[in-house]
Amino acid sequence: MQKLEVIGGKKISGTIVISGSKNATLPILASTILTNKKITINNIPVVRDVETMAELLKTIGSNVKFDRKKKKIEIYNKKPLKTFAPYYLLKTMRAGVLVLGALLAKYRIAKVSLPGGCAIGSRPIDLHLDALKKMGAKIKIKDGYVHASATKGLRGSNIKFSKISVGATENILIAACFASGESKLRNCAIEPEVEDLIIFLKKIGCKIKRIGKRSLNVLGTNKLKSTTHKVIFDRIEAGTYIIAAALTKGHLKIKNINPKIILTEIKLLNKMGVKITKKKDHIIVNRTESLKNINIVTKPYPGFPTDLQAQIMILMTKADGISTIQENIFENRFMHVSELRRMGAKIEIKGNKAKVFGKSKLNGAELMATDLRASVCLVLAGLIPSSKTIINRIYHLDRGYEKIEKKLLKCGAQIRRLR
Ligand code: UD1
């Protein structure tokens, strides 16, 4: 089992180039099931979840060429695909369920494994399934699989999601693009990754119109085109490195981003005392003053992202006074707290609220990563003390962070992978 060793006390300064977004890449890849025209996708992050999605597409017969050096995937489906997505590929990556909408819309039948249990919460897929049923699908859950069929094809429908869900919005949007007739999707997620999927789908000929802040009108079509698309930057990776610089009083240029997409995070970090200069496609992070305490509530976009909650908690341990976090998206997303406490952080948890006491002295320790964002929060924590921190079970980290130790090493961190 691979581990990371971090010896902190060094400033994170220099330049970091942000990768393409994993969470945008995954639904875009799933949606290519709809078309048999040539698709080229650039700015692909070479991370394990993307490898798993590429593997899943290959398993169902998709012709996927992944050029890791050029960060490019080409897909050209000349033959019909299989409609079976097996458990062994969905157990490590929930986003695998995004192939369900596309398979069902295109082939009228699909057998897709229920995604594996996830540490951060129960994460059901009821919203996905209810919407597909409304579109005419018959759905049975048997032996851990979703068995779905729509013998006459999916039909356009009026769907109002009872809760804002990124995955359900993406899955149903993809399905609606190939269904017969018109769909109205309401209470949709408007995360930048959903927007990137919409841009991609429109490029291949899907007919999508925004008719309100969270409402979409989709007219199904089966006339799809070839296209080339560049995936949007990873805003969570960008936020993580802003925090790394802020934590260590570094001076960091963060490149290949659009600062307008992360204004909530920038404003909040400004409030804490982190100076961030915004340019067209990069930002410069500088922290010289002491950090102020802050209160955060995680919300769907444009609110503060749950995927950055664990990282900001580390910064709070260094601020003046008491900061608070209310986690509103996932019920079990404070698993990093017990590990941070082992380093000396003082954090109290009550339900979905955390109270973080500032000016904690953190010491190096041997730690266990529990999920993707919790893993990176432990890496950030390791950047603080000049003693050694060992992070075990880092396969979670490799699911979503491209070359993290190389990027940090180049900016002055003392970090290495122990095999
Ligand atoms: C996506 C992101 C993940 C991020 C999350 C919230 C990807 C691959 N992953 O996950 O990194 O943390 O959005 O921004 O893009 N829910 C239901 N029923 C459903 C679906 C969801 O109750 O059918 C609930 C979930 O349990 C959760 C909330 O809705 O409480 C939001 O989840 P959702 O937006 O669906 O998250 P994911 O798409 O799984």
Side-chain angles (χ1 to χ4, degrees):
M1 199 164 57
Q2 294 192 4
K3 304 170 181 190
L4 272 184
E5 179 192 272
V6 189
I7 295 170
K10 318 270 185 308
K11 287 187 185 212
I12 300 300
S13 291
T15 301
I16 287 186
V17 180
I18 297 302
S19 300
S21 159
K22 155 183 96 67
N23 285 357
T25 303
L26 298 175
I28 288 173
L29 286 178
S31 75
T32 64
I33 288 173
L34 294 180
T35 178
N36 48 12
K37 299 283 162 53
K38 187 173 170 192
I39 303 295
T40 306
I41 308 162
N42 293 309
N43 202 30
I44 298 266
V46 185
V47 294
R48 228 190 53 229
D49 275 7
V50 170
E51 299 280 2
T52 307
M53 183 58 95
E55 191 56 41
L56 172 54
L57 292 179
K58 278 187 194 164
T59 305
I60 61 174
S62 180
N63 188 2
V64 180
K65 283 195 193 123
F66 192 172
D67 185 334
R68 291 167 185 78
K69 261 202 180 137
K70 291 188 179 152
K71 299 177 182 296
K72 177 168 98 172
I73 288 186
E74 278 177 1
I75 298 183
Y76 199 177
N77 293 326
K78 292 180 189 159
K79 288 189 217 140
L81 303 179
K82 292 178 211 143
T83 55
F84 171 56
Y87 171 70
Y88 78 94
L89 287 167
L90 269 86
K91 70 176 181 199
T92 58
M93 185 194 60
R94 294 186 49 81
V97 79
L98 293 173
V99 301
L100 177 62
L103 286 175
L104 193 54
K106 174 128 189 189
Y107 297 102
R108 303 182 171 195
I109 190 152
K111 180 178 169 189
V112 174
S113 168
L114 283 167
C118 180
I120 63 174
S122 59
R123 299 182 82 174
I125 56 163
D126 55 320
L127 299 171
H128 307 232
L129 301 185
D130 289 349
L132 290 171
K133 280 183 198 159
K134 248 195 134 183
M135 297 173 85
K138 289 215 163 72
I139 291 181
K140 259 199 294 186
I141 307 285
K142 208 176 141 210
D143 307 328
Y145 279 85
V146 179
H147 298 252
S149 65
T151 42
K152 292 182 185 154
L154 290 179
R155 53 171 192 267
S157 302
N158 277 333
I159 287 154
K160 184 172 180 196
F161 295 107
S162 57
K163 190 172 183 182
I164 295 173
S165 156
V166 174
T169 302
E170 293 167 341
N171 219 346
I172 302 312
L173 172 63
I174 295 169
C177 284
F178 209 87
S180 61
E182 196 174 317
S183 294
K184 274 202 179 69
L185 310 184
R186 286 185 293 152
N187 204 26
C188 294
I190 53 168
E191 267 63 5
E193 296 75 30
V194 178
E195 293 306 310
D196 203 35
L197 172 66
I198 293 175
I199 293 170
F200 171 77
L201 289 170
K202 281 182 166 177
K203 280 187 186 171
I204 62 168
C206 297
K207 297 188 167 66
I208 305 167
K209 233 197 224 158
R210 184 166 294 288
I211 50 168
K213 189 180 168 201
R214 294 195 177 274
S215 303
L216 296 169
N217 191 304
V218 187
L219 188 61
T221 179
N222 54 14
K223 292 193 182 67
L224 299 179
K225 300 182 282 199
S226 172
T227 203
T228 298
H229 182 73
K230 181 181 173 199
V231 171
I232 192 177
F233 76 99
D234 190 325
R235 65 192 163 104
I236 304 301
E237 190 196 18
T240 301
Y241 290 124
I242 298 177
I243 293 171
L247 260 181
T248 59
K249 293 195 169 169
H251 182 93
L252 189 65
K253 181 173 177 183
I254 299 182
K255 272 174 54 172
N256 278 14
I257 66 163
N258 175 0
K260 286 187 188 146
I261 285 179
I262 51 168
L263 287 182
T264 303
E265 295 87 319
I266 291 178
K267 270 190 203 152
L268 201 131
L269 286 154
N270 283 158
K271 252 181 147 177
M272 287 186 87
V274 183
K275 198 170 158 228
I276 301 174
T277 313
K278 302 192 281 285
K279 300 286 179 191
K280 191 168 170 268
D281 62 355
H282 69 269
I283 52 173
I284 293 161
V285 186
N286 203 0
R287 208 263 287 180
T288 44
E289 49 184 289
S290 67
L291 292 166
K292 296 175 198 65
N293 58 333
I294 194 135
N295 303 318
I296 285 176
V297 178
T298 62
K299 286 186 187 150
Y301 192 83
F304 190 83
T306 173
D307 284 353
L308 216 50
Q309 179 259 105
Q311 298 89 314
I312 197 97
M313 187 182 271
I314 300 293
L315 205 55
M316 291 171 163
T317 67
K318 293 281 124 196
D320 297 324
I322 297 173
S323 298
T324 63
I325 297 180
Q326 185 173 324
E327 170 56 59
N328 275 347
I329 309 291
F330 293 112
E331 67 266 31
N332 194 15
R333 213 169 197 185
F334 286 136
M335 282 176 308
H336 44 285
V337 169
S338 53
E339 297 304 285
L340 296 180
R341 282 187 187 134
R342 295 184 53 245
M343 293 179 81
K346 191 172 171 217
I347 303 165
E348 286 173 5
I349 303 287
K350 254 195 202 141
N352 68 338
K353 294 195 181 92
K355 205 171 175 187
V356 185
F357 294 78
K359 298 267 180 232
S360 301
K361 184 175 176 343
L362 297 194
N363 299 305
E366 181 145 5
L367 308 171
M368 190 63 81
T370 46
D371 70 70
L372 174 53
R373 307 301 169 185
S375 317
V376 85
C377 128
L378 302 183
V379 177
L380 291 177
L383 295 175
I384 302 170
S386 43
S387 48
K388 191 192 289 178
T389 295
I390 305 268
I391 301 145
N392 289 288
R393 235 196 247 159
I394 53 159
Y395 59 82
H396 289 292
L397 202 61
D398 295 330
R399 284 185 40 216
Y401 282 88
E402 188 172 41
K403 296 193 176 139
I404 184 167
E405 68 263 41
K406 282 199 181 136
K407 289 188 184 186
L408 285 172
L409 198 65
K410 210 182 119 226
C411 291
Q414 194 174 339
I415 181 168
R416 64 180 179 135
R417 193 173 283 246
L418 309 174
R419 289 170 202 272

